[in-house]
Amino acid sequence: MAKFVIAGKADCPFYAKAELLADYLQKNLPDFRIFKITQHPDVWEEWLKGVCEKNKWNHKRSPIIWREMIDRGGKGLLLGGHNEFLEYAQLYYGVTSSMTTQMMMVIAQENLETHIGKELEKEALSDLINPLQVWITSASSPASYSLIPILISGEVFGKNTEISLTLFDQPKVENYLKVMVMETQDMASQILLRTSYCTKIEEAFRQAQVIIMLDENTEKEVTSLEDCLRSKVSLCRLYAYHIEKNAQESVRVIVGGKNFVNLKTILLMQFAPTIAHNIVAVAMGVEGQARAMVARKLKTTSSCIKDVIIWGNISGNNYVDLRKARVYGYDSAIWGPPNYSRPVLSLLFDREWIQKEFVMTLKNMTATGKLFGGILAAHSITTTLKYWYHGSPPGEIVSLGVLSEGQFGIPEGIVFSMPVKFENGTWMVLTDLENIEISGKIMNNLTSDLFQEKLVALGNNIIFQPYRSGNVFRYFTSLSYYEEH
């Protein structure tokens, strides 16, 4: 059986002539089959270039015709263009075409109108099937492998919410993205409607409704902290421009990772002001580390520890606040119903452990990024997204990096991790919490580096000068409780 593919510009008269001849051969020869492809004139050259590069062909004009080797496998055999196809038909089948130039032009115009009509119909059908458009930046990073299975499981957006997932990264990792797309498709998720990848910045974030920003992959050598900070400006400015240009107006942007999370979030807000209210930074990773340490000390599970608050710089100088933290289902002499809890600080009798080991371990984790791998990053991002869409557990305190508006005495103009709750598709800062005042000294400690990062990144300061006052803010975390009791 002979199977030919005839592809051309929708308005090409030579494609029209070859198409009608092929139709005649298919109708009259039982073993002759054709497959027709039309492309809009605006995209024809790019499409032809891609086909030729893939198959290592050299062809410049419309149409392009090749034979599929369906009986032997392997790539197709290029026949050529309009003239070559007519010669082939004359030689092998004794058939040729006598179509006039005028008729070729008429049919070419009809082909273009038909092609445009089919594209409009395809768009209309696509609108009826409207999956949630989810984009992941730096998608070749290790965190993606843990993130994707959770996103397409139905646990984040809901079992009935279909997803279109796009993996975005640099062109140099295109082959790696192709593998990731295939592996994601192999999972056969019932809610995953489409999976694709993108390496062209001008096409990034098209129709995006959720954008997950992971730590960027870079091989560029950074000689100083100041250069590293300044490098975030160009990246965030570029992303922000295309988010505002291509994404939906209600897009939600969630910044995760372990490097300059607060800084990247505030830069995105500054360069994409129309969506600034929908850009947040994930703090649940640090919160999870603190809960796990407390749980190990109390010999319970971290899921039983609630209401740990993270203040300040998520990936830098922060304050882990245990004043509201509670433990549920704790195995002790006092028992109660499932909703019964006890203050964590009333059960942590080892004051030295809190002031030294707890403080220094968490500080080192934050400073180095150690133990903040793909699994924890994926869990903290997806849990934050789940709460954003479906609400956080009633009465539970969640930490989130948001733009300060002066709450709790925090200076305006920086992204600062603070206690919030999620409700009705949005988040609200818990300004009504009692007994969580932060002293001026601690506040200076928490905010100074954030302002320094922003000023150096934007070029207002040349040198980063970190705030130095020891670990007083960490000490306050535990000391305040004991002084009151």
Side-chain angles (χ1 to χ4, degrees):
M1 177 181 290
K3 179 182 178 182
F4 289 86
V5 179
I6 303 176
K9 287 193 296 183
D11 64 347
C12 174
F14 298 105
Y15 170 83
K17 188 172 184 176
E19 174 195 23
L20 262 67
L21 177 58
D23 285 339
Y24 175 83
L25 293 172
Q26 180 172 256
K27 182 178 180 180
N28 292 278
L29 299 174
D31 292 332
F32 189 94
R33 294 290 180 269
I34 61 171
F35 182 76
K36 294 181 281 188
I37 301 173
T38 58
Q39 295 291 335
H40 193 280
D42 293 344
V43 301
W44 164 255
E45 290 187 4
E46 184 178 354
W47 182 87
L48 177 62
K49 181 181 178 182
V51 170
C52 291
E53 287 179 353
K54 178 181 178 181
N55 293 282
K56 295 181 172 58
W57 293 337
N58 183 19
H59 191 84
K60 302 295 184 182
R61 299 181 304 276
S62 171
I64 180 173
I65 303 170
W66 69 88
R67 181 174 177 179
E68 292 284 348
M69 312 303 289
I70 59 176
D71 55 339
R72 282 169 286 175
K75 71 175 185 177
L77 179 65
L78 178 64
L79 184 61
H82 156 264
N83 290 331
E84 289 80 7
F85 182 64
L86 263 62
E87 291 174 4
Y88 182 92
Q90 177 69 42
L91 179 63
Y92 282 92
Y93 305 112
V95 178
T96 189
S97 173
S98 58
M99 183 185 296
T100 65
T101 302
Q102 183 179 0
M103 182 59 69
M104 290 165 59
M105 298 299 293
V106 171
I107 295 176
Q109 183 60 35
E110 291 177 353
N111 282 344
L112 178 59
E113 293 173 358
T114 300
H115 177 83
I116 293 173
K118 287 182 178 179
E119 290 297 310
L120 292 174
E121 183 180 354
K122 188 186 297 185
E123 289 181 9
L125 289 173
S126 178
D127 289 340
L128 295 176
I129 304 172
N130 190 24
L132 185 69
Q133 301 288 334
V134 180
W135 284 68
I136 303 176
T137 72
S138 304
S140 65
S141 64
S144 281
Y145 265 97
S146 300
L147 181 63
I148 292 172
I150 307 175
L151 288 174
I152 66 176
S153 68
E155 296 298 323
V156 179
F157 304 109
K159 298 288 186 181
N160 298 319
T161 301
E162 293 181 316
I163 294 174
S164 175
L165 182 64
T166 306
L167 309 179
F168 177 69
D169 213 321
Q170 302 175 53
K172 65 182 180 182
V173 296
E174 181 173 356
N175 289 334
Y176 189 72
L177 294 179
K178 289 179 180 178
V179 173
M180 293 185 68
V181 166
M182 289 189 291
E183 289 190 21
T184 302
Q185 292 169 338
D186 291 344
M187 295 178 68
S189 167
Q190 293 183 349
I191 67 168
L192 184 63
L193 198 63
R194 286 191 294 269
T195 314
S196 60
Y197 71 89
C198 176
T199 58
K200 298 178 179 178
I201 185 61
E202 62 271 13
E203 297 177 4
F205 314 124
R206 283 187 176 170
Q207 296 303 309
Q209 294 169 277
V210 175
I211 299 173
I212 301 170
M213 284 192 62
L214 301 178
D215 286 329
E216 59 275 11
N217 300 313
T218 179
E219 297 177 355
K220 183 179 179 181
E221 184 178 356
V222 179
T223 58
S224 68
L225 172 61
E226 288 78 9
D227 288 342
C228 185
L229 291 171
R230 294 184 188 106
S231 70
K232 307 304 176 187
V233 176
S234 57
L235 177 72
C236 291
R237 181 187 285 115
L238 186 64
Y239 280 6
Y241 171 77
H242 288 284
I243 291 173
E244 283 200 318
K245 179 183 177 183
N246 296 335
Q248 296 192 22
E249 292 182 359
S250 59
V251 64
R252 303 182 187 191
V253 182
I254 185 165
V255 183
K258 56 187 178 183
N259 296 318
F260 303 107
V261 175
N262 295 57
L263 175 63
K264 288 186 286 189
T265 305
I266 190 63
L267 290 175
L268 285 173
M269 291 176 175
Q270 180 167 330
F271 296 131
T274 60
I275 61 164
H277 61 286
N278 264 359
I279 305 175
V280 300
V282 178
M284 293 193 72
V286 182
E287 181 183 322
Q289 291 173 329
R291 290 168 59 184
M293 280 198 69
V294 171
R296 287 192 290 270
K297 185 65 175 177
L298 293 177
K299 294 181 172 55
T300 186
T301 60
S302 56
S303 63
C304 295
I305 309 297
K306 307 288 186 182
D307 301 341
V308 174
I309 302 173
I310 308 300
W311 299 92
N313 191 345
I314 295 164
S315 51
N317 198 12
N318 54 50
Y319 160 23
V320 180
D321 190 346
L322 300 180
R323 288 176 292 176
K324 293 294 181 182
R326 304 189 71 83
V327 56
Y328 290 77
Y330 187 61
D331 188 8
S332 67
I334 302 175
W335 278 83
N339 61 348
Y340 174 73
S341 64
R342 300 174 65 184
V344 163
L345 290 177
S346 69
L347 300 170
L348 285 175
F349 304 110
D350 189 346
R351 181 171 173 176
E352 184 177 354
W353 177 85
I354 298 176
Q355 296 170 6
K356 293 183 179 180
E357 183 179 342
F358 178 70
V359 168
M360 293 309 300
T361 300
L362 288 176
K363 182 178 180 180
N364 290 335
M365 285 181 181
T366 301
T368 63
K370 292 180 179 179
L371 302 182
F372 192 77
I375 295 176
L376 179 57
H379 174 73
S380 58
I381 289 169
T382 52
T383 302
T384 303
L385 272 174
K386 178 181 178 180
Y387 289 173
W388 202 348
Y389 272 82
H390 303 290
S392 52
E396 189 169 316
I397 300 173
V398 180
S399 298
L400 186 70
V402 299
L403 183 65
S404 171
E405 297 178 352
Q407 308 97 323
F408 308 108
I410 302 166
E412 298 182 10
I414 54 174
V415 168
F416 200 91
S417 179
M418 60 184 78
V420 305
K421 68 175 180 179
F422 289 91
E423 195 173 73
N424 299 323
T426 188
W427 48 267
M428 290 162 280
V429 178
L430 296 175
T431 55
D432 56 347
L433 289 178
E434 298 179 353
N435 301 320
I436 58 168
E437 294 78 13
I438 303 176
S439 71
K441 190 172 185 179
I442 295 173
M443 185 63 70
N444 288 337
N445 194 321
L446 296 175
T447 59
S448 176
D449 287 357
L450 288 173
F451 278 115
Q452 284 283 319
E453 288 180 359
K454 182 179 176 182
L455 291 170
V456 171
L458 294 173
N460 296 318
N461 282 7
I462 298 176
I463 299 175
F464 182 87
Q465 297 177 332
Y467 184 89
R468 300 184 183 278
S469 66
N471 294 322
V472 62
F473 71 102
R474 295 279 191 179
Y475 182 77
F476 179 83
T477 302
S478 55
L479 182 60
S480 59
Y481 177 85
Y482 292 106
E483 287 178 342
E484 293 172 5
H485 294 75

